[in-house]
């Protein structure tokens, strides 16, 4: 009787097909997003680091990051140091697009509190 053995690949990535089928994204954006989603969750991305591990230069990587940000796959926030100075940009990468409008972060205009105005 024949014996079947399955050789599994140890280093592979499972991700949704949503971004791959998104016709609004360029092929470069789809590829970079796949690469970023394939990295471990503790991986720290920098634009220079992405340019280093890819053939594209810093300008091309920046353009693609902005495209992914516009599509809702990446959000960015400025990080301040202990003195309150702006230091670095923190990017969050999503496997499906997030809504661009987050109403919970908008300031309340009616009856603001005088102690801690928004």
């Amino acid at each position: 009787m024949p014996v079947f053995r399955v050789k599994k690949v140890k280093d592979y990535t499972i991700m949704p097909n949503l971004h791959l089928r998104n016709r609004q994204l360029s092929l470069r954006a789809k590829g970079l997003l796949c690469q970023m989603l394939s990295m471990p969750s503790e991986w720290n991305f920098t634009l220079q680091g992405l340019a280093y591990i890819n053939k594209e230069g810093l300008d091309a990587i920046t353009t693609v990051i902005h495209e992914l940000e516009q599509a809702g796959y990446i959000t960015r926030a400025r990080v301040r140091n202990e003195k309150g100075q702006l230091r670095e940009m923190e990017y969050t990468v999503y496997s499906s697009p997030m809504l661009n409008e987050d109403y919970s972060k908008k300031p309340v205009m009616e009856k603001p509190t005088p102690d801690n105005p928004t």
Side-chain angles (χ1 to χ4, degrees):
M1 185 178 268
V3 176
F4 293 91
R5 291 187 183 14
V6 177
K7 301 269 185 176
K8 292 186 179 181
V9 178
K10 291 183 181 179
D11 193 19
Y12 65 93
T13 302
I14 297 174
M15 63 183 72
N17 292 325
L18 184 64
H19 65 278
L20 295 171
R21 296 186 179 143
N22 186 341
R23 296 189 66 183
Q24 305 303 316
L25 290 179
S26 69
L27 192 56
R28 289 189 322 170
K30 291 176 186 180
L32 186 62
L33 183 58
C34 284
Q35 182 182 43
M36 290 190 294
L37 291 173
S38 74
M39 298 297 186
S41 59
E42 65 274 358
W43 192 272
N44 290 325
F45 294 103
T46 63
L47 295 176
Q48 292 82 4
L50 288 171
Y52 179 77
I53 62 174
N54 290 292
K55 186 177 180 178
E56 283 71 25
L58 185 59
D59 290 340
I61 295 293
T62 303
T63 300
V64 173
I65 292 293
H66 286 298
E67 179 182 349
L68 290 169
E69 186 179 2
Q70 290 295 317
Y73 290 95
I74 292 179
T75 59
R76 65 179 155 152
R78 294 298 303 244
V79 177
R80 294 179 183 269
N81 65 8
E82 61 278 349
K83 295 179 182 177
Q85 300 168 326
L86 294 173
R87 277 298 178 216
E88 59 187 30
M89 190 69 70
E90 180 179 276
Y91 293 92
T92 306
V93 182
Y94 300 97
S95 59
S96 59
M98 303 305 290
L99 295 176
N100 288 337
E101 296 182 72
D102 185 2
Y103 294 106
S104 64
K105 293 182 181 177
K106 290 189 177 182
V108 178
M109 300 306 281
E110 288 184 28
K111 300 179 184 175
T113 58
D115 293 337
N116 189 9
T118 54

